[in-house]
Amino acid sequence: MVKKNLKKLYRKDAREFFNQVMVEQPLLPFLIPLGLFAWFVERWVVPFSNWVPLAAAVWATIQYGRFKRRITVEDLNKRWKHLILNTTPTTPIEPCEWLNKLLLEVWPNYMEPKLSSRFQTTVERRLKNRKPKLIDKIELQEFSLGSCPPTLGEEGMRWITSGEQQVMRLGFDWNSHEMSVMFLAKLAKPLIGTCRIVINSIHIKGDLLLSPILDGEAILYSFESTPEVRIGVAFGSGGSQTIPGMELPGVSTWLVKLLTETIGKTMVEPRRLCFSLPAVDLRKRAVGGVLSVTVVSASNLFKSTANAIGNRQSSNGGTMSGITDNKVSQTFIEVEVGNLTRKTSTSKGLNPTWNSTFNMVLHGETGIVKFLLYELDSGGVKFNYLTSCEIKVKYVHDGSTIFWAIGHNSGVVAKHAEHCGQEVGMVVPFEDINGELTVSLVLKEWQFSDGSVTVNNSLSNGLQSSFHGSPKPQSITGRRLRVRVVEGRALTANSKSGKCDPYVKLQYGKALYRTKTLSHTVRPVWNDKFEFDEIAGGECLKIKCYNADIFGDESIGSARVNLEGLLDGASCDVWVPLEKVNSGEIRLEIEPVKNDHNNSMQSSSSKAGAGWIELAILEARDLVAADLRGTSDPYVRVQYGNKKKRTKVIYKTLSPQWNQTFEFPETGEPLVLHVKDHNAVLPTASIGHCTVEYSMLSPKQSADKWIPLQGVKNGEIHVKIARRVSVSDSEKKTMLGTDPSSKGHKITTQMRHGLKKFTGLIDEGGDPEALSLAVTEMEGIQTEQEEYIEVLEREKAMLLHKIQELGSQIIRTASGPPKTPY
């Protein structure tokens, strides 16, 4: 038996030696046949000597000795490294002048533009949310970190071992007076005017930690603790004049706090940020993605959850139901990505298994997937929060994806998916406890700003298109977005009634639309179509889903859809998961349409008197009852820019018919209709509003549409909208009648009769309802008079224009050369 084991050992050693010799001596396969041939000649043809086998044996012995020495050295190095890492986790200080020299070279053209862009975006977002009372409006005009980079490791650097991960620790000192951040502020009352605020110096000092991961494909970096930050602020009214900071009390402190928090949140609070080092840059910016998250199982929860609850009991001084001793608990995981949350089913045991899969949506090229562990109490009603962990997702510019999380002993758990659709399994420890969570992640697709999408194994197509030049982003002016709300599924029903009467609100910019309400279903089918003018700057389509109720509508989820990079004629059919709820998805069909008439409309609307909007308000149906008797007294107030007009009042009806026409000079402003309920004594009540879109219409084109009212549960209004370039003779007759003078005489007669009727009612002591009706009639006659005056002014302008053209023609004819008689 011993001899057999020795033979196996020798055979294995011989095989390793042969492989090593083949690697180091690639010509050996050619030398062996040559040696055999020489031996054959020497043995059978011409005898040479007996030293050839001896030389081969000596050569083999030397090679074998070298191989054994190399194996021994590698084994000693491994043992020495293991000893160093476990006994001396901190290496001696090393100089790093080379790092500062490298930073001086890459700072002006690479590091400074990237960091400036990132800080500028964060600061602009924070400026919108908070500002002092002394400032009415503030905007960021310039942001530059200057040409002076920070100094790294001025006193040297050293390597620290954290678990099995090596971390480089070095000092960070940035003292720059070349920073230029300029704000333009508009002062509020009692201060009036503008001022300029300049950030001209910055000082940051702390200890920086750098850790290579994924075999050097990425670097994790963070500050060991919150760095010391000092910022210099200067005030001025423009030019070289400066005003002391005390002129604007509180503003200097606010700006310093704003930038300090921005630096802190960017560098410190996330604990670690990942900086990828791709070998290939596809130069494609990711604006969103779809991530599949599978929560598989957890392990060793007994001791950890018991300790966690025990700590909470001791800290709160009270008792809390939970895991005690050997009691088996019911736990579940809540997955959170931004505002989107999903919950697994409950599972019993110390090592629960869920195997729940969810589709999550990422906004941007990075995201954080949080896993929150909850425990049900003994009654199965309340649930207690135990602990959590998180995984960070980052798009790499070569088309791959990095997943990473904090591991044991502040180590790192990192995985790299080379293409979309590749499954990545990770075991992540919970915070502050000993339990672990096993998850599986699949990045299904990345969506890019140029409209392309990387799906599953289609990375090769993305690479091919990027090498041939990625398509340029589509122009976002002169396009319309057609959005169809198709259906929904797995919507959340009311917890008390168990019913769901869902409807959806869409908001894009200032435009707001609403679908119809469907009764008693969690799988509604709407098929409602809406159109929006495309907006620049990456505006998102906001979706809000509600459950209609008598005592107030209940929100059952919301979501955001990125519309950046959509290509003309390319329809997008997508299921959008609802956020802030446990379940629910909405299916949308989005199609961008190019507006060919946009340029012609802009040129025509820029000319005074060249374009007119003609609006006919015909009728309405299914209006909301505003009176106690179950009816309304509706009228419509039309607002177009600064101009306001109104229709007559139709009493005691929910389906009024107005049949009135209004005209406005086209200015490109929104045309808004406000449906009101008329009250003689009390203030008027709103029963809905809507916006009439007319930008898609070409000149002399009209549209007949029913528009659902916003701000109410139900109601639609029927309108006709048309764009007019000039008034033709037939239109003149239609607007003025066959005889303009008779039209004016008719209006004057109606005005006189109305005044007599109103005076008679006052003399008789007056019925309030009759007086209200008379006032409404007078307002209608006045509106008709204003329209008639506008038509006359327009005709006057056109007549003067024709007279001017005729005079110019007469002058040209009179000043021409005299005819030469023949």
Side-chain angles (χ1 to χ4, degrees):
M1 189 68 181
V2 176
K3 292 183 178 180
K4 290 184 178 180
N5 292 335
L6 289 176
K7 289 182 179 179
K8 291 182 179 179
L9 182 62
Y10 294 153
R11 192 180 300 114
K12 181 180 178 181
D13 197 6
R15 191 183 301 110
E16 291 180 358
F17 168 66
F18 180 74
N19 293 333
Q20 183 71 23
V21 171
M22 292 296 292
V23 172
E24 295 185 354
Q25 304 291 338
L27 297 178
L28 186 61
F30 303 98
L31 294 177
I32 292 176
L34 183 61
L36 292 175
F37 177 75
W39 176 77
F40 174 78
V41 172
E42 190 266 342
R43 178 70 179 80
W44 300 101
V45 181
V46 179
F48 293 111
S49 62
N50 294 327
W51 57 265
V52 174
L54 180 63
V58 172
W59 176 82
T61 303
I62 294 173
Q63 293 296 328
Y64 182 73
R66 290 179 180 177
F67 168 71
K68 295 298 290 183
R69 282 196 299 272
R70 183 178 293 106
I71 294 298
T72 304
V73 169
E74 290 179 357
D75 184 58
L76 289 175
N77 287 335
K78 288 181 180 179
R79 293 182 181 182
W80 174 252
K81 184 177 181 181
H82 181 73
L83 180 65
I84 290 296
L85 293 179
N86 287 275
T87 58
T88 57
T90 304
T91 63
I93 295 180
E94 301 176 11
C96 55
E97 296 181 1
W98 61 271
L99 187 58
N100 290 310
K101 291 181 180 179
L102 178 63
L103 189 59
L104 282 173
E105 295 179 0
V106 301
W107 176 265
N109 298 323
Y110 183 74
M111 296 293 293
E112 193 275 335
K114 281 186 172 292
L115 291 176
S116 296
S117 176
R118 181 168 184 175
F119 278 115
Q120 181 176 356
T121 304
T122 307
V123 170
E124 286 179 341
R125 186 170 60 251
R126 291 178 177 271
L127 285 176
K128 297 178 181 179
N129 299 330
R130 295 183 299 175
K131 58 184 178 181
K133 296 181 179 180
L134 290 178
I135 294 181
D136 183 31
K137 182 179 180 182
I138 186 169
E139 61 179 8
L140 181 61
Q141 290 189 323
E142 181 183 348
F143 197 103
S144 175
L145 296 177
S147 59
C148 179
T151 303
L152 300 178
E154 189 173 11
E155 298 178 357
M157 52 80 68
R158 65 179 67 201
W159 288 94
I160 303 174
T161 303
S162 178
E164 296 182 356
Q165 186 70 32
Q166 286 192 330
V167 180
M168 185 172 68
R169 183 179 184 275
L170 67 166
F172 182 94
D173 191 358
W174 190 16
N175 192 2
S176 174
H177 295 278
E178 298 181 3
M179 184 179 182
S180 178
V181 181
M182 183 178 295
F183 301 89
L184 180 62
K186 181 181 179 182
L187 305 181
K189 294 181 180 180
L191 302 174
I192 300 176
T194 59
C195 72
R196 296 185 183 275
I197 309 173
V198 180
I199 308 294
N200 53 17
S201 65
I202 186 172
H203 177 74
I204 303 176
K205 189 173 183 179
D207 292 324
L208 191 65
L209 302 177
L210 299 176
S211 177
I213 61 173
L214 299 174
D215 297 329
E217 295 182 3
I219 294 176
L220 293 179
Y221 62 96
S222 67
F223 277 90
E224 189 174 17
S225 59
T226 304
E228 176 188 355
V229 180
R230 294 196 304 269
I231 297 174
V233 182
F235 293 83
S237 59
S240 59
Q241 300 179 357
T242 59
I243 300 177
M246 294 301 294
E247 293 290 334
L248 296 175
V251 176
S252 175
T253 307
W254 165 69
L255 271 179
V256 170
K257 184 179 179 181
L258 176 71
L259 290 180
T260 304
E261 288 183 353
T262 301
I263 295 173
K265 287 183 177 297
T266 305
M267 295 183 174
V268 181
E269 287 190 4
R271 296 185 66 185
R272 295 181 183 179
L273 295 177
C274 182
F275 183 74
S276 54
L277 303 171
V280 178
D281 190 353
L282 301 182
R283 301 188 180 277
K284 300 179 75 173
R285 184 171 66 90
V287 295
V290 178
L291 177 66
S292 175
V293 181
T294 301
V295 184
V296 182
S297 62
S299 59
N300 302 325
L301 292 183
F302 166 68
K303 183 178 179 180
S304 58
T305 49
N307 291 339
I309 294 179
N311 293 336
R312 285 204 304 273
Q313 287 177 345
S314 62
S315 61
N316 297 334
T319 61
M320 182 181 296
S321 61
I323 297 176
T324 56
D325 300 332
N326 295 325
K327 187 177 180 180
V328 179
S329 64
Q330 290 187 352
T331 53
F332 65 91
I333 295 289
E334 187 176 70
V335 185
E336 178 181 327
V337 178
N339 293 326
L340 180 60
T341 58
R342 291 293 182 266
K343 185 175 67 174
T344 68
S345 59
T346 59
S347 179
K348 292 183 179 180
L350 307 180
N351 301 302
T353 301
W354 297 285
N355 287 322
S356 299
T357 303
F358 310 103
N359 287 331
M360 314 299 284
V361 178
L362 299 175
H363 300 290
E365 62 179 10
T366 59
I368 300 178
V369 185
K370 296 183 179 180
F371 301 92
L372 310 176
L373 177 64
Y374 290 90
E375 174 202 13
L376 289 178
D377 65 357
S378 57
V381 179
K382 287 179 56 181
F383 53 87
N384 305 316
Y385 169 77
L386 299 179
T387 184
S388 66
C389 61
E390 64 182 34
I391 296 176
K392 297 185 179 181
V393 185
K394 179 180 176 62
Y395 169 74
V396 185
H397 293 290
D398 61 358
S400 59
T401 308
I402 291 178
F403 304 90
W404 64 278
I406 304 298
H408 292 289
N409 300 323
S410 299
V412 178
V413 180
K415 292 295 181 68
H416 185 218
E418 296 182 356
H419 55 79
C420 288
Q422 180 179 348
E423 184 176 0
V424 171
M426 299 183 70
V427 179
V428 183
F430 288 110
E431 295 183 357
D432 303 326
I433 64 175
N434 297 324
E436 293 178 334
L437 179 67
T438 303
V439 298
S440 176
L441 305 171
V442 179
L443 203 291
K444 290 188 173 181
E445 69 176 33
W446 281 114
Q447 303 163 0
F448 302 102
S449 60
D450 60 2
S452 59
V453 177
T454 303
V455 185
N456 293 340
N457 294 325
S458 61
L459 180 64
S460 58
N461 298 333
L463 288 170
Q464 186 177 1
S465 63
S466 63
F467 288 145
H468 288 83
S470 59
K472 295 182 179 180
Q474 294 291 321
S475 174
I476 54 177
T477 58
R479 292 205 312 176
R480 301 275 294 172
L481 297 175
R482 294 179 180 174
V483 180
R484 185 161 74 102
V485 184
V486 184
E487 57 181 326
R489 65 185 179 190
L491 299 182
T492 303
N494 190 294
S495 57
K496 296 181 179 179
S497 63
K499 299 179 181 179
C500 184
D501 302 332
Y503 67 90
V504 175
K505 285 186 177 181
L506 301 179
Q507 183 177 0
Y508 185 66
K510 295 183 179 180
L512 179 65
Y513 292 106
R514 168 185 166 168
T515 66
K516 55 180 174 287
T517 303
L518 302 181
S519 301
H520 308 312
T521 177
V522 293
R523 187 69 188 261
V525 178
W526 292 287
N527 284 320
D528 288 347
K529 296 181 181 180
F530 308 99
E531 289 191 359
F532 302 91
D533 289 317
E534 192 177 34
I535 301 174
E539 183 75 16
C540 290
L541 175 66
K542 299 177 183 178
I543 304 172
K544 295 183 179 180
C545 190
Y546 292 92
N547 178 22
D549 194 6
I550 299 176
F551 302 101
D553 296 347
E554 177 188 7
S555 175
I556 54 176
S558 61
R560 292 181 301 162
V561 179
N562 179 65
L563 300 180
E564 189 176 359
L566 294 174
L567 302 178
D568 283 337
S571 179
C572 178
D573 191 336
V574 60
W575 281 95
V576 182
L578 295 176
E579 303 175 357
K580 300 182 180 179
V581 288
N582 293 330
S583 64
E585 292 178 296
I586 302 294
R587 181 186 173 192
L588 300 179
E589 289 184 0
I590 306 171
E591 180 183 5
V593 180
K594 190 173 183 180
N595 187 2
D596 297 329
H597 305 293
N598 188 64
N599 295 332
S600 61
M601 285 188 299
Q602 290 180 352
S603 61
S604 62
S605 62
S606 62
K607 299 179 182 179
W612 293 82
I613 298 298
E614 183 180 287
L615 173 67
I617 301 177
L618 304 180
E619 56 181 328
R621 65 187 179 191
D622 197 22
L623 295 181
V624 174
D627 298 336
L628 295 177
R629 58 181 180 270
T631 61
S632 297
D633 303 327
Y635 70 94
V636 181
R637 180 167 60 85
V638 186
Q639 183 173 358
Y640 186 68
N642 296 326
K643 293 191 176 183
K644 297 180 181 179
K645 296 183 180 182
R646 56 172 289 179
T647 65
K648 57 189 175 183
V649 180
I650 307 297
Y651 289 92
K652 300 179 181 179
T653 180
L654 298 180
S655 300
Q657 294 184 356
W658 293 285
N659 294 317
Q660 289 185 247
T661 304
F662 305 94
E663 291 188 349
F664 303 92
E666 185 178 355
T667 59
E669 296 177 281
L671 181 60
V672 184
L673 306 183
H674 297 272
V675 183
K676 303 280 188 177
D677 174 60
H678 176 75
N679 290 313
V681 180
L682 299 175
T684 58
S686 174
I687 53 177
H689 61 88
C690 65
T691 301
V692 182
E693 297 290 342
Y694 60 89
S695 58
M696 285 289 293
L697 299 176
S698 59
K700 296 185 179 181
Q701 182 183 3
S702 61
D704 189 332
K705 59 178 72 176
W706 282 91
I707 305 175
L709 297 176
Q710 309 299 321
V712 289
K713 293 184 179 180
N714 51 274
E716 293 178 295
I717 187 170
H718 186 198
V719 299
K720 287 184 178 180
I721 184 73
R723 295 181 65 248
R724 308 295 183 193
V725 177
S726 61
V727 183
S728 61
D729 294 338
S730 61
E731 290 171 340
K732 293 177 191 176
K733 293 179 181 179
T734 302
M735 290 182 292
L736 292 176
T738 55
D739 187 2
S741 60
S742 64
K743 177 76 172 179
H745 179 70
K746 180 180 177 181
I747 295 175
T748 305
T749 304
Q750 290 178 352
M751 185 73 73
R752 288 175 181 174
H753 286 301
L755 288 173
K756 288 180 181 180
K757 182 179 179 180
F758 189 72
T759 305
L761 289 172
I762 294 176
D763 294 339
E764 293 175 1
D767 183 11
E769 188 172 352
L771 286 173
S772 175
L773 181 60
V775 170
T776 303
E777 293 178 356
M778 292 290 295
E779 290 177 349
I781 297 172
Q782 184 181 3
T783 302
E784 190 175 355
Q785 184 183 25
E786 291 176 354
E787 294 175 1
Y788 177 66
I789 293 174
E790 287 183 1
V791 172
L792 290 179
E793 290 179 351
R794 195 185 318 159
E795 293 299 318
K796 177 182 176 181
M798 293 178 60
L799 184 60
L800 291 175
H801 181 67
K802 289 183 177 180
I803 292 174
Q804 186 177 3
E805 289 183 351
L806 183 60
S808 300
Q809 186 176 0
I810 293 174
I811 293 174
R812 288 196 300 269
T813 305
S815 60
K819 295 182 179 180
T820 304
Y822 291 98

